[in-house]
């Protein structure tokens, strides 16, 4: 939905989630690959039709930038550069990850002394379904994510060793490292360490995260305080 704000400039109401945006960019990536490698125009048209079927339901119907985007996909033979130019105007339609203050983050990680803050200037908030950053010096990874209607913080040891494997968060094969989180077992008050392989680079992980479910499943396993009733 478009409208006029008090300054009289056009604004767009963000309705696309970050993981939907990652899904859209992945689909456009696939489309570009087909456009670059498939010579048969009919096959290219079939790939385009399939991708439009997948992404159109995720886009608002009444935004001019969406119309321009969809038309652009259909009128040009895409290159990576052209695709990026078409995608950029959609960014204001994405609900970004909220930028948290140092105080808010410290509250999420009360037990951490001298919490290393994430570098917000490097973050692409419209691509972030969760916030993740590494403290390389201390071999730690911090995650902040929505979970059951609130925002939770998860910390753990991150192995310096990177291997090829499936990430427990985005379910994609890539450069992963063992993430050892400390979890309080339900009822007993004892702590157990749980190991999961996750993408070393959380920005990359977010770009590969196209569905909320695997992130929620991961958080259900590692989140520290609540009883696991599932
Ligand atoms: Zn990942």
């Amino acid at each position: 939905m478009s409208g006029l704000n008090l300054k009289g400039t056009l604004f767009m109401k963000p309705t696309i989630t970050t993981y939907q945006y990652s899904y859209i960019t992945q689909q456009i990536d696939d489309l570009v690959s087909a456009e670059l490698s498939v010579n048969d125009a009919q096959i290219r048209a079939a790939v385009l039709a399939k991708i439009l079927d997948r992404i159109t339901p995720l886009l608002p119907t009444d935004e001019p930038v969406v119309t321009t985007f969809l038309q652009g996909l259909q009128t040009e033979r895409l290159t990576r550069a052209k695709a990026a130019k078409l995608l950029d105007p959609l960014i204001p339609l994405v609900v970004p990850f909220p930028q948290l203050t140092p105080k808010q983050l410290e509250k999420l990680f009360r037990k951490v002394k001298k919490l290393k803050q994430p570098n917000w200037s490097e973050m692409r908030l419209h691509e972030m379904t969760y916030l993740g950053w590494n403290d390389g010096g201390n071999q730690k990874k911090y995650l902040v994510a929505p979970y059951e209607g609130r925002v939770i913080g998860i910390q753990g040891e991150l192995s310096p060793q990177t291997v090829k494997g499936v990430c427990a968060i985005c379910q994609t094969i890539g450069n992963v490292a063992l993430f050892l989180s400390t979890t309080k077992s339900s009822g007993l008050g004892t702590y157990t360490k749980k190991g999961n392989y996750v993408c070393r680079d959380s920005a990359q992980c977010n770009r590969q995260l196209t569905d909320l479910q695997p992130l929620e499943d991961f958080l259900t396993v590692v989140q520290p305080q609540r009883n696991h009733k599932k």
Side-chain angles (χ1 to χ4, degrees):
M1 201 185 289
S2 297
L4 291 172
N5 68 15
L6 291 175
K7 284 178 185 160
T9 50
L10 204 62
F11 71 90
M12 292 182 265
K13 187 170 181 273
T15 57
I16 304 170
T17 66
T18 46
Y19 56 90
Q20 285 173 337
Y21 183 75
S22 291
Y23 179 74
I24 293 166
T25 57
Q26 268 190 16
Q27 290 295 310
I28 299 304
D29 256 12
D30 289 353
L31 179 61
V32 172
S33 299
E35 305 242 324
L36 294 175
S37 63
V38 178
N39 280 321
D40 187 322
Q42 268 189 321
I43 297 176
R44 286 205 308 272
V47 172
L48 173 64
K50 192 173 70 182
I51 284 171
L52 286 174
D53 273 356
R54 288 174 180 164
I55 64 174
T56 307
L58 306 177
L59 299 167
T61 52
D62 52 357
E63 292 286 359
V65 291
V66 171
T67 313
T68 309
F69 168 70
L70 292 172
Q71 278 169 354
L73 295 181
Q74 291 168 81
T75 51
E76 291 183 80
R77 192 161 172 181
L78 285 184
T79 59
R80 302 254 168 238
K82 278 184 192 168
K85 259 193 194 153
L86 285 174
L87 276 164
D88 271 357
L90 296 184
I91 293 173
L93 291 173
V94 181
V95 184
F97 192 88
Q99 182 160 347
L100 303 170
T101 64
K103 275 236 163 76
Q104 286 173 317
L105 287 174
E106 277 158 19
K107 264 191 181 169
L108 287 172
F109 298 100
R110 282 183 201 278
K111 286 178 192 154
V112 180
K113 287 170 197 152
K114 287 192 182 173
L115 178 71
K116 189 203 171 196
Q117 294 283 332
N119 187 353
W120 288 101
S121 65
E122 282 179 1
M123 305 255 168
R124 291 166 66 88
L125 301 176
H126 62 283
E127 291 179 348
M128 284 162 47
T129 301
Y130 72 92
L131 164 67
W133 75 103
N134 300 347
D135 179 350
N138 291 317
Q139 295 179 7
K140 285 234 168 197
K141 189 187 247 320
Y142 298 98
L143 307 171
V144 173
Y147 184 76
E148 294 185 345
R150 64 204 175 111
V151 172
I152 61 170
I154 305 282
Q155 54 149 324
E157 292 159 34
L158 188 69
S159 162
Q161 211 176 8
T162 302
V163 295
K164 272 265 181 291
V166 178
C167 168
I169 299 175
C170 68
Q171 308 282 309
T172 307
I173 296 171
N175 295 322
V176 295
L178 187 64
F179 175 71
L180 213 56
S181 54
T182 309
T183 304
K184 195 175 181 182
S185 306
S186 57
L188 299 169
T190 53
Y191 287 85
T192 50
K193 293 221 167 177
K194 294 208 169 158
N196 288 278
Y197 282 92
V198 300
C199 291
R200 174 171 294 284
D201 179 355
S202 291
Q204 175 74 17
C205 187
N206 266 296
R207 286 193 289 274
Q208 293 167 174
L209 185 63
T210 59
D211 182 359
L212 208 50
Q213 197 58 52
L215 174 65
E216 282 181 351
D217 292 346
F218 172 79
L219 294 172
T220 301
V221 172
V222 300
Q223 57 108 9
Q225 272 136 24
R226 288 197 173 177
N227 293 339
H228 300 184
K229 283 177 183 163
K230 278 179 191 172

